[in-house]
């Protein structure tokens, strides 16, 4: 697996430091709130596991799964709910935890359907942000790193469902994408 990596963008140490920093900020902002972290499967699962432990205020967690990508590196244009939240979110201060904000299509859709369920507030925390590719109005309230327009893998992010278990974030060699 390591042989497929062209270069490392963010090391384990850099990711850890960033998660700590975000966790601190979130803990400060949600001191007197009713925080529920919503992780969007599967890409954000590694980030979720780390960020929830960097948050020092009480919170609940829930998961949802949507599909917007096939095995390609471009959006298929459709977003489908595969798994909905287990819990009612009315009265909660929701923080959606995402791996990467790319076109923004996925998150705009998720935010819209969750908003209709009347949470007290709703914000977005993304580890990575690719602002060059944005084609919807969504902005991240908390964001780890701005990445250039390259397809990245690792730390939860996949290419054709693989490489999620890399502990760092990097780009694959060109021949792998073909
Ligand atoms: P969006 O709807 O275009 O913002 O797509 C967001 C989703 O696409 C993310 O949650 C990822 O699952 C996937 N995605 C976008 N860019 C990348 C990437 O560089 N590597 C891996 N997955 C990506
Ligand atoms: Mg994702």
């Amino acid at each position: 697996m390591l042989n497929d990596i062209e270069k490392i963008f963010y090391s384990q140490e850099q990711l850890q430091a960033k998660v700590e920093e975000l966790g601190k900020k979130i803990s400060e902002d949600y001191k007197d709130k009713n925080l529920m972290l919503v992780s969007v499967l599967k890409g954000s699962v590694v980030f979720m596991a780390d960020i929830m432990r960097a948050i020092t205020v009480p919170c609940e967690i829930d998961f949802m799964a949507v599909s917007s990508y096939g095995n390609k590196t471009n959006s298929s244009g459709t977003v489908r709910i595969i798994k909905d939240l287990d819990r009612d979110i009315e009265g909660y201060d929701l923080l959606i935890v995402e791996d990467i904000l790319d076109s923004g299509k996925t998150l705009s859709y998720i935010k819209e359907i969750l908003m209709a369920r009347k949470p007290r507030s709703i914000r977005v925390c993304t580890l990575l942000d690719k602002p060059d590719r944005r084609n919807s109005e969504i902005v991240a309230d908390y964001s780890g790193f701005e990445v250039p327009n390259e397809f990245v893998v690792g730390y939860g992010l996949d290419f054709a469902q693989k490489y999620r278990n890399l502990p760092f974030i990097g780009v694959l060699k060109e021949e792998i994408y073909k």
Side-chain angles (χ1 to χ4, degrees):
M1 184 167 61
L2 287 174
N3 285 333
D4 298 347
I5 303 300
E6 173 76 43
K7 65 174 185 264
I8 294 179
F9 269 19
Y10 307 108
S11 68
Q12 239 172 312
E13 292 72 29
Q14 283 172 300
L15 289 167
Q16 201 183 347
K18 186 57 80 179
V19 168
E20 282 303 318
E21 184 190 317
L22 288 171
K24 227 174 246 166
K25 226 182 282 173
I26 292 166
S27 305
E28 193 60 39
D29 294 353
Y30 285 85
K31 248 190 314 222
D32 306 306
K33 300 270 163 59
N34 191 19
L35 178 58
M36 187 190 291
L37 300 175
V38 170
S39 158
V40 185
L41 296 170
K42 307 170 187 142
S44 72
V45 75
V46 180
F47 179 43
M48 176 72 159
D50 283 348
I51 193 95
M52 64 189 276
R53 287 175 292 173
I55 292 172
T56 54
V57 296
C59 74
E60 295 180 31
I61 63 167
D62 206 344
F63 296 87
M64 82 189 281
V66 298
S67 151
S68 62
Y69 277 73
N71 284 349
K72 294 180 239 106
T73 55
N74 266 311
S75 177
S76 65
T78 45
V79 179
R80 203 156 50 92
I81 296 188
I82 311 275
K83 184 219 169 289
D84 207 341
L85 298 175
D86 295 337
R87 305 280 316 276
D88 196 349
I89 57 173
E90 200 175 333
Y92 279 95
D93 293 296
L94 236 61
L95 185 58
I96 303 174
V97 176
E98 252 288 38
D99 49 357
I100 187 164
L101 193 48
D102 187 23
S103 73
K105 217 180 305 175
T106 313
L107 262 191
S108 319
Y109 178 78
I110 292 174
K111 211 173 160 180
E112 198 176 300
I113 56 167
L114 294 183
M115 209 99 89
R117 300 180 192 176
K118 307 213 166 30
R120 191 155 73 181
S121 67
I122 179 160
R123 283 186 181 172
V124 170
C125 174
T126 185
L127 178 64
L128 305 179
D129 193 355
K130 265 191 204 171
D132 290 355
R133 306 235 315 160
R134 196 68 32 82
N135 62 22
S136 61
E137 271 175 27
I138 193 120
V139 283
D141 302 280
Y142 304 91
S143 145
F145 300 101
E146 255 192 31
V147 285
N149 188 8
E150 277 189 77
F151 199 82
V152 294
V153 296
Y155 197 73
L157 291 148
D158 71 303
F159 173 64
Q161 299 302 326
K162 300 255 168 42
Y163 305 102
R164 294 192 197 274
N165 56 325
L166 287 171
F168 53 81
I169 289 173
V171 288
L172 296 172
K173 290 176 182 159
E174 216 180 310
E175 67 249 34
I176 309 288
Y177 293 114
K178 283 180 193 147

